[in-house]
Amino acid sequence: MTCAILYEMCVDEPTAKVINIDSRPKKKFRPFPMTTVELQKQAARKLHLGSEQTMTIAEKLYQQGYLSYPRTETDSFPEGTDIISLIREQANNPDWGSYASDLTDQGKFKHPSKGRNNDNSHPPIHPTKAATNLTGNEKKLYDYITRHFLACCSEDALGQETTIVIEIAGEIFTAKGLIVEKLNWLEVFPYEKWTDKNLPKFQLEEEFGPTSLLMTESSTTAPHLITEPELISIMDKHGIGTDATIAQHIKTIQDRKYVEKKPGAQFVPTRLGEALVYGYNTMGFQLAKPQLRAETEAAVTQISRG
């Protein structure tokens, strides 16, 4: 009842006045150079490509000379890599060519950040030459990898994290969001959105009429089923599989009918999968426990390292 009364008061006197603005600088950091696991996660999330499909396409693009070797755990470019020449390869592309030229010719280039991972075998995934004749999912994946590479070579995005306090009919309301000042790497990377709460610039004491006044109610919801990008992240975090085998593990549990992948890349356990886990647990076996695979992977890695 109280909420309804306050709502009616604001509807009757809808003029809003800005009484306080608090801002602080904010950055959205450019991405690190791309590893295989990150490619699989982002291709599933942004391009709706399964992990196995992603690796098949990436291998083909590598064999055609468009990409570097796509199986790598390294997220730092080795010293001496001629990154400028790789960027100049993209200068004639109709979609991002002007952005690539600005990086090399207008002083906007910034050396890619160094990650923490290095397999001492292969560099991060990046385009090796321009591609103008690709179609379908091959083009989609090549475009993503190239835009990601250019984003790695750009400045961080800049903005102001802002809290605005307004008064309507004697009641105080607060809005928190972001005022974007420079998109920088986000200009060439449309797959990423900084925030859903962009705020316009206001001045202290400014008065304005809200576009709408709403009173809403909501309720809690159950967690959603696990998606392929989430599964890849969890497997990588807990050492289940490697950059070269995660996609195969995911394919195996689908081939054996333990799970089904639904629209939205969400996995649903089948009755067979549930029965298998129930049977293992009932008999006291640890075969369905995720740490078992992680321990096996860790032991094999130790063996390979001597």
Side-chain angles (χ1 to χ4, degrees):
M1 179 65 73
T2 301
C3 181
I5 293 172
L6 295 176
Y7 174 72
E8 292 297 333
M9 291 170 56
C10 294
V11 171
D12 292 339
E13 299 180 35
T15 300
K17 182 178 181 180
V18 179
I19 60 174
N20 189 55
I21 301 175
D22 181 33
S23 297
R24 61 174 182 168
K26 187 75 173 178
K27 288 184 178 183
K28 184 170 180 63
F29 297 109
R30 63 211 174 117
F32 284 104
M34 184 177 288
T35 64
T36 302
V37 171
E38 190 63 23
L39 174 62
Q40 292 175 10
K41 287 192 297 185
Q42 297 306 325
R45 181 176 290 121
K46 306 289 177 56
L47 308 180
H48 307 295
L49 298 175
S51 54
E52 183 193 19
Q53 184 181 16
T54 294
M55 295 312 300
T56 299
I57 296 171
E59 290 277 3
K60 183 176 180 181
L61 293 173
Y62 163 67
Q63 292 167 2
Q64 293 173 330
Y66 293 120
L67 295 183
S68 61
Y69 188 64
R71 297 185 184 276
T72 176
E73 298 177 10
T74 303
D75 54 8
S76 299
F77 281 97
E79 294 294 332
T81 303
D82 191 355
I83 296 176
I84 294 296
S85 293
L86 292 171
I87 296 174
R88 285 186 173 140
E89 278 282 336
Q90 304 297 327
N92 294 322
N93 186 280
D95 296 320
W96 56 73
S98 60
Y99 186 92
S101 295
D102 284 348
L103 289 179
T104 57
D105 302 336
Q106 301 298 320
K108 295 184 178 181
F109 168 75
K110 189 170 182 180
H111 198 278
S113 300
K114 291 187 176 182
R116 299 179 179 180
N117 305 300
N118 191 340
D119 61 14
N120 297 309
S121 298
H122 304 286
I125 301 169
H126 62 275
T128 52
K129 67 178 182 180
T132 57
N133 57 346
L134 299 176
T135 59
N137 287 333
E138 290 180 14
K139 181 179 188 305
K140 187 188 296 187
L141 190 64
Y142 176 85
D143 286 4
Y144 181 87
I145 291 171
T146 302
R147 287 181 178 275
H148 183 278
F149 170 68
L150 295 174
C152 290
C153 302
S154 306
E155 295 279 354
D156 297 329
L158 303 176
Q160 293 286 330
E161 192 173 57
T162 304
T163 301
I164 297 175
V165 182
I166 64 172
E167 181 182 0
I168 305 177
E171 296 300 319
I172 303 300
F173 298 90
T174 301
K176 295 182 179 180
L178 185 77
I179 297 175
V180 178
E181 296 176 328
K182 290 185 178 181
L183 287 170
N184 292 332
W185 69 272
L186 291 170
E187 290 181 32
V188 77
F189 200 71
Y191 315 94
E192 190 78 28
K193 193 174 183 180
W194 192 347
T195 179
D196 292 323
K197 296 182 179 179
N198 285 309
L199 291 179
K201 289 187 177 181
F202 287 102
Q203 300 296 324
L204 196 62
E205 305 294 325
E206 178 182 348
E207 293 187 352
F208 64 95
T211 54
S212 62
L213 292 168
L214 303 174
M215 181 174 63
T216 61
E217 65 175 311
S218 61
S219 59
T220 59
T221 57
H224 63 73
L225 295 165
I226 193 169
T227 65
E228 187 162 2
E230 291 168 341
L231 178 58
I232 293 169
S233 296
I234 292 171
M235 291 175 70
D236 181 48
K237 179 180 178 181
H238 294 284
I240 304 171
T242 67
D243 61 309
T245 62
I246 284 177
Q248 184 59 46
H249 291 330
I250 294 174
K251 178 178 183 297
T252 297
I253 62 173
Q254 294 177 81
D255 290 344
R256 294 179 180 176
K257 309 299 182 183
Y258 298 153
V259 300
E260 294 177 352
K261 187 160 66 172
K262 299 295 186 181
Q266 292 184 322
F267 287 110
V268 180
T270 63
R271 293 188 66 182
L272 174 61
E274 291 177 343
L276 181 68
V277 173
Y278 176 79
Y280 283 151
N281 291 341
T282 301
M283 292 184 288
F285 295 151
Q286 300 296 307
L287 298 177
K289 303 301 181 184
Q291 63 267 24
L292 177 63
R293 182 74 202 191
E295 290 169 359
T296 303
E297 296 278 0
V300 170
T301 299
Q302 287 183 337
I303 292 171
S304 69
R305 293 175 178 173

